[in-house]
Amino acid sequence: MQKNESSISFLEKQFQEKINNDIKIEPKDWMPEAYRNNLIRQMSQHAHSEIIGMQPEGNWVLRAPTLRAKKILLAKIQDEAGHGLYLYSATETLGIDRKEMIEQLQQGKAKYSSIFNYPTLNWADIGAVGWLVDGAAIVNQTMLARGSYGPYSRAMLRICKEEGFHQRQGYEIMAKMMAGNASQKEMAQDSLNRWWEPSLMMFGPHDSESTHSEQSMKWKIKVESNDNLRQRFINKTVDQAHHIGLTIPDKNLTYNKETRNWEISPINWEEFWNVVKGNGPCNRQRIAHHTKYHNEGQWVREAALVFAKKEMEIQ
Amino acid sequence: MDNQFSQWEVFIQKKNGAAHEHAGSVHAADKNMALQNARDVYTRRNEGRSIWVVPTDSIVASTIEDEVVFFDPANDKIYRNPNFYKMPKGTTNL
Amino acid sequence: MNSTNNALYNYCLRLADNNLILGQRLAEWCSQGPTLEEDLALTNISLDLIGQAESFYEFATTFTEANCTADDLAFLRSEREFVNNVLVEQPNGDFAYTIMKQFLFSTFAKHLYTALANSSNQTICGLATKGLKEVNYHYMHSSQWLIRLGNGTDKSKEKIQFAANDLWCFTKDMFEMNSVDTLLIEQNITINLSTIYTPWKNDIEQVFKIATIDLPTDTNKIIGGIKGIHTEHLGHILCEMQYLQRAHPGAKW
């Protein structure tokens, strides 16, 4: 075949046919550069979200109120680290290494989910993070597991399986607090009030505003629209909230019998973009934390490498 | 200059007698670290009884361009399949 | 409570408190590890230790009033009532310091649990046997890091040697005994801790040798953990750990 324009367009056509026929794309397969870059952007952002997400939860690990709660929270945060790791590995198959991704995160070139730029202020926030944030993530990740890139889809399957307990433990915390004393109930409601809208924003801008959506859908990097996923999440969550006596902090919340959807007030997108741009309550803190401990680990990594080299020489 | 160690592929045997299956990868500076990292990352839910780790660099893979040349020749060798053979009626234990 | 039960109660608290406080210290590493993989490894050890603490507290509650739970013992006793060894409550310092602390303790726990696996008390025997598997892994993990850091760069060698020197004075506390031990030794429930001092030290010397770490010469000893006499660090650990239980008495979580 000639290496000319037509051969590229031929490859692109072949590639799109594979996608249309639900054949997974594997690392060594030909892929358009834009597909590769789009995936690197999305997957590394996903990996960074897992890693940065450890911080707001880690904020309570030393203060967990029971031994059981401490073990659960530790195991959950550990899973986040593991999931970040799986995702970094999957992204590495696209030809970028972890070192570079970490640099991009610390330099602000790569993003992570804005939800983690909000602070965890009381113990119920650990419940809300599990119930709402992981709940939203599961809706999203179940969709991503059907995506076109093999390594990403496989990582998602494994992650979805392991995260089965994350949302349940969060809801359990909320349920226990709603069954508890007055100040526990107050904490739970306060927590929902603060996390509700940010969790809706996790699905990203409306379909009409989303810059990457159309191409991502065509390539099956995403297989459902932001608004569809958000609605599914709202419907599930509203019922769960009511079930334990929580009030959704939205005066306009109404049930539409025809569509069987819970309808909400317009989302405050100004707030969303403001946080994405780096002006959320914890943006700087999260990156400063990551950078600080990354730098503090530098001498350890250096020592391990020097040791490994010496070992190799002995052999 | 930062480093994140080199990458290793992890293979886990779930049960006695089963094959080691690819689980994912870890980063590590040396063999012991790779084994322990694999244990901590991939067997927290009691998924393993034995682990192999292999430097990712050491894996040689065929490419998708090889697919036709490598594998198509095998798809018409139906005599490798037991059902290819016609047995006389009434034959048992075969 | 008869005197044996009282002694058993006290002894279980010691084992549980050691595990809980060290587990809590390790949990501080969450999202702060030198690599992502090591973050998972340290959390794994922390989870093992907190699990062991919970089991020993649960056994301890069988010797108390009916309503007392493992959580009550962990979250509602004050620093003078905690009977952990002073080593485990020491701050984490840097990675070398944490690994050294872990190694000194895991080596001790390895020998203690090996002995307790022959305890005449079935529960102690069972918990020690189960715990030993975990502790052996902790020993392996920490000793390998010791060897890496000792044979790594000048900086890592300096840090790991500093950790050894600095923590040495707290190690004697692990071998302290009182009337609780006397009573339980008589009934073959536990052992005379002086019998595991030499095996402990032999292991330390052996690994230090491979790691090219000099055995500290510090003869100072800071002891008192089993009498509830601690360093100032413990109070702060408990402040943080017990905050919710103390702020909301009687609440269920």
Side-chain angles (χ1 to χ4, degrees):
Chain A
M1 203 192 305
Q2 287 178 315
K3 296 270 179 215
N4 58 23
E5 281 297 307
S6 66
S7 74
I8 292 285
S9 71
F10 175 75
L11 285 170
E12 269 177 7
K13 193 166 159 261
Q14 218 180 21
F15 174 81
Q16 190 60 49
E17 271 166 17
K18 270 164 100 178
I19 298 219
N20 296 346
N21 292 322
D22 286 329
I23 295 170
K24 300 277 185 209
I25 307 299
E26 294 298 334
K28 296 201 163 180
D29 296 359
W30 185 90
M31 60 185 87
E33 274 313 288
Y35 176 85
R36 184 186 300 276
N37 293 334
N38 193 330
L39 270 174
I40 289 177
R41 181 187 57 78
Q42 185 178 326
M43 289 167 71
S44 66
Q45 180 172 330
H46 198 159
H48 297 325
S49 300
E50 299 279 356
I51 301 308
I52 297 295
M54 295 167 72
Q55 291 182 39
E57 294 190 300
N59 184 37
W60 280 89
V61 77
L62 301 175
R63 293 178 288 175
T66 65
L67 294 170
R68 178 177 181 271
K70 193 184 288 294
K71 286 194 300 184
I72 292 169
L73 184 55
L74 263 176
K76 179 172 187 289
I77 301 171
Q78 194 183 36
D79 275 353
E80 319 292 5
H83 298 166
L85 203 153
Y86 303 162
L87 284 162
Y88 282 132
S89 299
T91 318
E92 284 183 291
T93 62
L94 291 161
I96 182 170
D97 66 18
R98 192 155 99 186
K99 190 181 91 181
E100 207 178 332
M101 288 186 264
I102 292 173
E103 269 169 23
Q104 289 178 348
L105 171 69
Q106 294 181 348
Q107 292 167 2
K109 289 178 191 158
K111 301 228 177 312
Y112 55 89
S113 181
S114 270
I115 193 91
F116 301 120
N117 291 318
Y118 293 90
T120 48
L121 300 176
N122 71 39
W123 173 249
D125 286 14
I126 296 306
V129 168
W131 173 40
L132 301 175
V133 178
D134 285 82
I138 288 166
V139 170
N140 199 31
Q141 288 169 355
T142 313
M143 179 271 289
L144 292 172
R146 292 184 278 133
S148 60
Y149 188 55
Y152 194 23
S153 153
R154 288 190 289 274
M156 281 298 109
L157 281 177
R158 193 181 177 100
I159 289 173
C160 286
K161 208 168 108 191
E162 294 191 354
E163 285 194 350
F165 89 83
H166 291 191
Q167 196 190 11
R168 290 173 70 103
Q169 66 84 33
Y171 189 63
E172 188 192 76
I173 290 175
M174 293 307 255
K176 274 188 181 169
M177 292 183 76
M178 287 307 288
N181 64 31
S183 62
Q184 285 176 299
K185 284 181 188 161
E186 196 184 313
M187 280 189 251
Q189 184 62 53
D190 169 53
S191 167
L192 176 61
N193 294 351
R194 285 180 287 109
W195 290 93
W196 170 249
E197 199 166 31
S199 73
L200 302 180
M201 295 176 187
M202 279 179 74
F203 296 94
H206 287 308
D207 300 341
S208 51
E209 310 281 323
S210 178
T211 44
H212 302 288
S213 268
E214 201 183 328
Q215 186 61 63
S216 292
M217 298 276 276
K218 192 179 154 213
W219 279 333
K220 294 192 183 167
I221 291 174
K222 276 165 74 164
V223 295
E224 273 189 273
S225 77
N226 293 354
D227 286 327
N228 274 355
L229 293 168
R230 181 168 21 243
Q231 189 61 53
R232 187 175 310 149
F233 171 74
I234 291 169
N235 291 349
K236 286 201 314 191
T237 310
V238 168
D239 292 339
Q240 288 162 359
H242 291 164
H243 187 62
I244 53 174
L246 283 164
T247 308
I248 299 286
D250 182 349
K251 285 186 188 119
N252 300 315
L253 183 79
T254 41
Y255 186 68
N256 183 326
K257 279 184 187 160
E258 260 172 50
T259 60
R260 294 188 187 173
N261 285 330
W262 283 98
E263 289 170 359
I264 56 164
S265 303
I267 292 170
N268 181 356
W269 291 111
E270 208 176 308
E271 153 95 4
F272 174 78
W273 290 115
N274 192 39
V275 178
V276 170
K277 280 177 194 138
N279 302 321
C282 302
N283 295 58
R284 266 181 274 176
Q285 178 191 336
R286 299 291 183 240
I287 294 299
H289 176 108
H290 192 277
T291 309
K292 175 175 192 268
Y293 294 106
H294 178 78
N295 292 344
E296 281 183 12
Q298 178 74 17
W299 70 267
V300 180
R301 297 191 293 274
E302 258 168 38
L305 269 194
V306 170
F307 172 74
K309 216 171 156 193
K310 284 182 191 166
E311 286 277 280
M312 292 286 277
E313 279 160 14
I314 293 165
Q315 288 167 3
Chain B
M1 196 44 199
D2 182 33
N3 71 73
Q4 286 289 315
F5 304 151
S6 58
Q7 199 170 326
W8 303 65
E9 296 304 318
V10 179
F11 299 83
I12 307 235
Q13 184 190 38
K14 288 179 181 162
K15 280 184 215 144
N16 172 278
H20 285 70
E21 284 178 23
H22 186 238
S25 48
V26 291
H27 287 229
D30 58 58
K31 288 188 262 186
N32 285 331
M33 196 193 288
L35 261 185
Q36 292 186 19
N37 287 350
R39 179 255 191 195
D40 286 321
V41 174
Y42 290 104
T43 68
R44 298 197 304 287
R45 288 171 168 79
N46 200 20
E47 295 102 328
R49 67 179 304 280
S50 158
I51 300 175
W52 292 347
V53 286
V54 184
T56 303
D57 289 349
S58 304
I59 295 206
V60 184
S62 68
T63 64
I64 196 68
E65 284 78 33
D66 297 331
E67 190 178 349
V68 172
V69 180
F70 265 53
F71 309 112
D72 279 7
N75 70 15
D76 63 351
K77 311 290 193 295
I78 47 174
Y79 42 80
R80 290 198 171 98
N81 188 328
N83 295 336
F84 177 72
Y85 301 91
K86 286 191 181 116
M87 293 294 110
K89 266 188 187 156
T91 309
T92 55
N93 298 325
L94 249 176
Chain C
M1 216 187 311
N2 71 36
S3 53
T4 303
N5 282 357
N6 196 28
L8 257 174
Y9 170 73
N10 203 290
Y11 197 75
C12 285
L13 286 186
R14 252 193 237 173
L15 296 170
D17 290 349
N18 268 343
N19 285 311
L20 178 61
I21 298 302
L22 190 56
Q24 175 83 356
R25 276 291 191 214
L26 279 177
E28 291 175 21
W29 274 98
C30 200
S31 83
Q32 302 179 6
T35 64
L36 207 41
E37 284 83 355
E38 191 56 27
D39 218 298
L40 277 121
L42 293 174
T43 323
N44 255 355
I45 299 176
S46 174
L47 275 169
D48 286 344
L49 296 176
I50 293 166
Q52 288 183 26
E54 196 174 20
S55 302
F56 283 116
Y57 283 134
E58 270 162 13
F59 187 40
T61 63
T62 62
F63 306 110
T64 62
E65 294 160 37
N67 296 330
C68 179
T69 65
D71 283 333
D72 292 340
L73 295 174
F75 294 94
L76 297 175
R77 285 178 305 134
S78 64
E79 48 266 61
R80 290 283 285 110
E81 295 168 289
F82 266 72
V83 282
N84 59 279
N85 298 129
V86 289
L87 175 70
V88 297
E89 71 205 32
Q90 296 313 304
N92 284 339
D94 58 21
F95 184 71
Y97 206 84
T98 297
I99 288 291
M100 180 58 75
K101 186 167 49 149
Q102 188 66 46
F103 173 70
L104 294 170
F105 179 76
S106 294
T107 311
F108 168 77
K110 179 175 77 128
H111 290 292
L112 178 62
Y113 284 180
T114 303
L116 292 182
N118 293 313
S119 170
S120 66
N121 180 288
Q122 290 229 314
T123 308
I124 297 273
C125 165
L127 292 178
T129 307
K130 182 170 176 285
L132 184 58
K133 293 179 197 166
E134 296 174 342
V135 163
N136 278 331
Y137 188 81
H138 307 165
Y139 173 79
M140 180 167 80
H141 184 81
S142 55
S143 58
Q144 285 180 0
W145 265 114
L146 227 64
I147 292 166
R148 279 186 202 106
L149 297 178
N151 295 293
T153 58
D154 291 346
K155 188 173 186 179
S156 69
K157 186 177 166 61
E158 188 187 314
K159 282 175 181 290
I160 198 75
Q161 183 67 58
F162 170 80
N165 297 347
D166 209 56
L167 287 164
W168 198 248
C169 62
F170 301 109
T171 57
K172 298 281 183 348
D173 196 39
M174 296 188 289
F175 300 93
E176 284 293 299
M177 293 183 283
N178 60 17
S179 58
V180 167
D181 299 78
T182 316
L183 211 150
L184 297 180
I185 292 166
E186 271 170 23
Q187 301 181 42
N188 290 319
I189 291 173
T190 182
I191 50 140
N192 187 327
L193 290 173
S194 63
T195 61
I196 60 168
Y197 180 76
T198 306
W200 173 81
K201 201 159 173 220
N202 286 344
D203 274 349
I204 303 285
E205 280 173 352
Q206 204 192 339
V207 177
F208 275 22
K209 199 176 163 200
I210 305 170
T212 67
I213 300 167
D214 297 327
L215 204 65
T217 50
D218 189 2
T219 52
N220 187 22
K221 55 178 186 176
I222 296 176
I223 56 174
I226 62 172
K227 286 189 273 181
I229 303 292
H230 293 278
T231 56
E232 288 178 349
H233 305 294
L234 183 67
H236 295 277
I237 297 176
L238 298 186
C239 256
E240 190 168 40
M241 186 175 79
Q242 300 180 336
Y243 150 69
L244 277 169
Q245 290 264 1
R246 300 282 193 183
H248 305 276
K252 297 271 175 286
W253 303 95

